[in-house]
Amino acid sequence: MKAFLGMGLLGSNFVRAMIKQGETVQVWNRTASRAQELEKEGAKAFIYAADAVKGATEIHITLKDDASVDEVLKAAEPGLAPGAIIIDHTTTSKEGAIARTRDWKEKGFTYQHAPVFMGPINALESTGYMLISGDEAIITALTPALSKLTGTLINFGEEVGKAAAMKLAGNAFLVCLTVSLKDTLTLSKSLDISLDELLKLFSMWNPGTLISGRLKRMAAPDQSKPSWELNMARKDTQLFLDATQQAGNELVLVPVIAALMDKFINDGFGSHDWTVIGK
């Protein structure tokens, strides 16, 4: 028997996927009606977290943050069966994941952090990516069950908290990417470029293929042999700013990048590869 605490968009679809796979699932949510809605699909809902986890060998959690995870687990603790395994899919701090792994082990339970790069559809269809790290024996034991819930289970080794750190790094990229795309759309609008034209460009030229090479170049000890000089990149950046200003629009991220470029140029790096600003 399994329990799932947290019936948001992600958690509720995880439960639906588990039920389709033949699992018996007990569920709880702070707003009880969200858990109760899943009873018509085969789950059993409970008002109290401690009751939801009774008899369960695996307790999955998808909540908001460190504080909510700690609060809900404290409430559930009286109902935990001896040796129960807690699997937390919440995006949390690295420190929080480390502390919970240690603290629950001292109480006689296994806490395994397994954050995800999955949306609600991924959870329902068991696709996307799930991250994991820590005790290899525990990971080996959990791999068959967790693999059924995701398209790809990525093991980052024995360091407790590494999966939490990797999830935060990935989310940082997604946040910055979204703001970058906002500026790209604003510039396109300023230059009378339609969305269809922009999509045509990116369908033929995929900048995503540049990420690994760009990271390696940024991490290299020497950027003095440029493929694109910082001075030239700064010139183009000014063209972005000028075009949007003339159209009465405003960029968000590009002005910050321009200021950073100016700092490095003033420090004598204008003839270096522009990725020097990543130092």
Side-chain angles (χ1 to χ4, degrees), residues 181 184 188 196-208:
L181 289 174
T184 300
S188 297
D196 285 343
E197 290 170 326
L198 192 60
L199 290 172
K200 178 180 179 181
L201 172 64
F202 288 129
S203 69
M204 302 182 71
W205 170 64
N206 180 8

Side-chain angles (χ1 to χ4, degrees), residues 5 28 30 48-51 53 59 61 63 65-80 86 88 100 103-104 107 109 111:
L5 309 179
W28 170 90
R30 192 183 305 275
Y48 300 104
D51 292 333
V53 302
I59 296 90
I61 306 174
L63 297 168
D65 52 21
D66 287 284
S68 60
V69 170
D70 290 335
E71 178 186 348
V72 171
L73 286 180
K74 182 179 180 180
E77 185 175 357
L80 291 174
I86 301 164
D88 185 6
R100 279 184 289 277
D103 295 345
W104 284 98
K107 295 179 180 182
F109 301 97
Y111 170 91

